[in-house]
Amino acid sequence: MDKHNILIIMADQLAPHFLGAYGHKVARTPHIDSLAKIGTRFDAAYCNSPLCAPSRFAFMTSQHISRIGAYDNASELKASIPTFAHYLNSLGYRTCLSGKMHFIGPDQKHGFKERITTDIYPSDFAWTPNWEKASMRIDKWYHNMQTVKESGEAIATFQTDYDDEVEFAAQRWLIDRGRDRRSGNASPFCLVASFIHPHDPYVAMPEWWNKFSDHEIDLPKVMFSPDNQDPFSRRIMDGIEASHTTISEAEIRKARRAYYANVSYFDSKVGALIKTLRDIDELDNTIVFITADHGDMLGERGLWYKMTFFENSSRVPLIVTGPNIRHGTVNNACSLIDILPTLIEIGGGNKNTYGEKIDGRSLLPLAYGKADPVDEAIAEYCAEMTPWPIFMIRRGIFKYIHCEIDPPQLFNLADDPLELTNLANDENYNDVCQSFADEVSQRWNSSKIREAVIESQRSRQKLQNAMNLNPDDHWDYNPPSNASSQYVRNHMDWTLAAARYRFPPLK
């Protein structure tokens, strides 16, 4: 049986709450909405760490971040750890990455046979936190309230430059696969197209900004002052400078308007890639995933960006469409580590395919409409604004959050979707809370993880200081390009080149 192609379209910092497919009344996301109408929408999908690089490394490897040392945005993903790209290669797929994956270190491909754009962020250790000075901001770290205050519109930004390049490169790569098909090469492909939007800065191009007006932009449902925050949220407020920066209602609306506009901009990229699949006649043979690395608080609870385990930050959209995928919704909790085993099952692999133990399970049975007894998501946070690891367990209707230096948090998401009532001190939930606490102590050794994080930070800080002495020595990815083999050159038969490039070909 022929293997289905795979297309993964990934956003950065996109909470499902801000998509029409998930019920948002202001969002304008027609392409994503149309995919949700014909596919499976997962309503309790989570990231495994609410920060870019750790989340993506868990996504690529199906391993929790404490197992692979992927603690923060300056943690290296070791080249020896297999990713789904490695596994799919072994199953006969042609794999490609267009866009962001925030790889840190000298390996900038991690199994992808092709990588056709550079990354948008540094590949070195410059963004290493310091748990020994946990309240200190990272140098050149732009998460602060000035980003909110400067929200608005612009003709272009570094992020629009990047995402337009990612779209173009991905479309051209897909068209080349169509050309291959016409030439008799029917190898299945897996393309990951990973965009930076709607990640802050909250700046949108006029085309998308003007799709909205200030008066229709909803404000955050819940706002807490710094003194009313739980300890970790207060540390985040201090870290992003929200606890001592006054933000007006007009500024909040402007930031949210730009975010909604950039969600629509991302949605347009989804539409363009789906159109390209249709153009090369591969849409009906391709399983498409729409997801993100984490969400955005976007002012909820007085918080911005990510880094927390509240729903807006830790949940991600997950929509799957394609052959045999049923139309419907899934309430089971799941997470990004479940993508890898799902892809391996699509590719015809099995447990013998894996080179290392994985932490996820395949979501394909759920996408096919079958029952799944597993209803959980596990996540960890080992980065900025905390001197100790923080853990989250979502199982069934409950979410439990634990940190050694903070009071525990327990929420009943069925009754309290805004997470306003911490049940950890409610005697009616003593047994539930104790069960989660016992599980945390069995799953994790907080002290040992903390020691490993600090040791890693010290090492990376020393290495970065040494690397700074030679700024020309870097790991940033430069996509290979050979102009002499492109288009029409003297060593080619131009008629053959023209026939290759013309798509669809003359009959």
Side-chain angles (χ1 to χ4, degrees):
M1 183 179 70
D2 291 339
K3 297 177 181 179
H4 299 307
N5 305 313
I6 299 165
L7 171 63
I8 301 172
I9 308 177
M10 193 172 216
D12 197 318
Q13 209 159 293
L14 174 58
H17 308 70
F18 304 116
L19 292 171
Y22 283 86
H24 197 272
K25 302 301 183 184
V26 181
R28 294 176 173 85
T29 50
H31 300 293
I32 296 174
D33 297 353
S34 65
L35 291 175
K37 289 178 181 177
I38 62 171
T40 298
R41 187 190 74 201
F42 289 80
D43 287 350
Y46 289 83
C47 63
N48 302 102
S49 188
L51 195 66
C52 298
S55 174
R56 292 165 182 272
F57 298 171
F59 158 73
M60 290 291 302
T61 65
S62 189
Q63 297 190 52
H64 290 301
I65 66 168
S66 62
R67 281 186 57 202
I68 57 176
Y71 305 120
D72 53 61
N73 274 345
S75 291
E76 180 182 9
L77 177 58
K78 295 179 181 178
S80 59
I81 300 174
T83 69
F84 65 70
H86 291 109
Y87 295 140
L88 288 175
N89 290 341
S90 70
L91 293 171
Y93 277 76
R94 182 168 183 170
T95 57
C96 177
L97 170 61
S98 179
K100 176 185 174 180
M101 203 49 71
H102 211 143
F103 291 142
I104 303 297
D107 186 349
Q108 288 293 306
K109 294 180 75 174
H110 286 285
F112 287 105
K113 287 184 178 179
E114 297 172 80
R115 187 171 187 185
I116 51 179
T117 71
T118 188
D119 214 309
I120 193 168
Y121 284 160
S123 59
D124 58 19
F125 300 133
W127 291 0
T128 302
N130 186 347
W131 277 12
E132 295 171 290
K133 298 179 180 178
S135 61
M136 183 180 68
R137 285 176 55 82
I138 298 175
D139 184 37
K140 299 180 182 178
W141 195 56
Y142 59 81
H143 278 314
N144 58 50
M145 288 298 96
Q146 195 60 32
T147 300
V148 176
K149 285 182 169 293
E150 294 175 355
S151 301
E153 57 179 319
I155 294 173
T157 66
F158 73 90
Q159 298 197 156
T160 59
D161 285 358
Y162 186 78
D163 276 355
D164 287 347
E165 179 184 353
V166 171
E167 176 191 9
F168 172 78
Q171 284 186 293
R172 183 164 64 177
W173 191 87
L174 286 173
I175 290 172
D176 277 343
R177 303 293 70 75
R179 290 167 173 149
D180 289 343
R181 296 291 193 273
R182 295 299 192 270
S183 300
N185 182 349
S187 299
F189 62 76
C190 173
L191 170 65
V192 178
S194 183
F195 298 89
I196 184 66
H197 283 92
H199 192 291
D200 60 288
Y202 307 117
V203 180
M205 290 189 292
E207 174 185 358
W208 307 103
W209 174 267
N210 291 329
K211 289 184 178 294
F212 301 87
S213 57
D214 286 342
H215 77 271
E216 66 180 325
I217 303 302
D218 53 330
L219 291 170
K221 297 181 179 67
V222 178
M223 293 291 287
F224 290 143
S225 68
D227 293 338
N228 291 326
Q229 297 282 11
D230 65 89
F232 180 45
S233 296
R234 176 59 192 264
R235 292 197 297 272
I236 291 176
M237 283 196 80
D238 292 344
I240 65 175
E241 303 177 347
S243 55
H244 57 269
T245 302
T246 300
I247 301 293
S248 69
E249 182 178 298
E251 289 171 326
I252 294 174
R253 287 189 189 276
K254 187 167 63 171
R256 289 169 72 97
R257 177 177 175 177
Y259 183 90
Y260 295 168
N262 284 333
V263 171
S264 293
Y265 171 73
F266 168 72
D267 180 75
S268 75
K269 306 301 187 188
V270 173
L273 294 179
I274 296 300
K275 178 182 181 300
T276 306
L277 279 180
R278 186 179 294 111
D279 288 343
I280 65 171
D281 200 26
E282 290 294 329
L283 181 59
D284 293 338
N285 189 39
T286 302
I287 297 181
V288 179
F289 294 76
I290 308 295
T291 193
D293 55 355
H294 51 74
D296 192 321
M297 293 303 293
L298 208 61
E300 293 291 339
R301 310 176 78 96
L303 303 174
W304 293 83
Y305 321 122
K306 54 269 187 176
M307 299 174 285
T308 86
F309 285 120
F310 294 119
E311 291 287 276
N312 275 57
S313 169
S314 62
R315 267 188 56 201
V316 296
L318 181 57
I319 296 169
V320 184
T321 68
N324 303 318
I325 303 298
R326 70 155 188 150
H327 167 53
T329 59
V330 170
N331 294 322
N332 297 57
C334 61
S335 66
L336 291 177
I337 60 168
D338 299 322
I339 300 297
L340 182 151
T342 306
L343 301 180
I344 301 314
E345 185 173 354
I346 291 170
N350 53 45
K351 292 182 179 179
N352 294 325
T353 304
Y354 303 127
E356 293 186 359
K357 178 184 176 182
I358 64 168
D359 294 316
R361 91 271 192 185
S362 174
L363 301 178
L364 209 55
L366 286 169
Y368 286 162
K370 300 177 182 178
D372 182 356
V374 181
D375 185 10
E376 71 173 24
I378 308 296
E380 309 162 316
Y381 183 79
C382 297
E384 297 85 14
M385 307 308 135
T386 180
W388 280 80
I390 304 173
F391 310 115
M392 183 206 82
I393 302 173
R394 164 72 198 272
R395 181 172 295 113
I397 62 173
F398 291 108
K399 177 195 288 185
Y400 183 77
I401 303 170
H402 174 91
C403 179
E404 291 293 319
I405 61 172
D406 298 333
Q409 295 176 286
L410 176 68
F411 299 103
N412 181 333
L413 296 178
D415 296 338
D416 181 25
L418 296 180
E419 299 167 288
L420 299 179
T421 304
N422 182 7
L423 302 173
N425 296 319
D426 187 328
E427 62 181 14
N428 295 315
Y429 292 87
N430 283 347
D431 290 345
V432 175
C433 196
Q434 187 60 51
S435 177
F436 277 120
D438 292 343
E439 182 176 347
V440 167
S441 65
Q442 292 167 6
R443 280 183 176 271
W444 295 285
N445 185 322
S446 289
S447 295
K448 285 189 176 181
I449 293 175
R450 183 174 188 268
E451 291 173 4
V453 170
I454 292 175
E455 181 179 4
S456 171
Q457 290 173 352
R458 289 173 178 169
S459 175
R460 287 180 282 142
Q461 289 159 7
K462 294 294 185 182
L463 287 167
Q464 186 62 35
N465 290 337
M467 291 179 68
N468 287 340
L469 299 175
N470 185 10
D472 293 331
D473 186 14
H474 60 80
W475 295 322
D476 301 317
Y477 185 69
N478 287 302
S481 178
N482 183 1
S484 64
S485 65
Q486 297 174 347
Y487 305 115
V488 178
R489 298 293 183 253
N490 282 334
H491 66 276
M492 303 175 184
D493 183 327
W494 75 268
T495 59
L496 296 178
R500 160 71 179 173
Y501 278 103
R502 180 165 178 162
F503 187 86
L506 289 172
K507 295 181 179 179

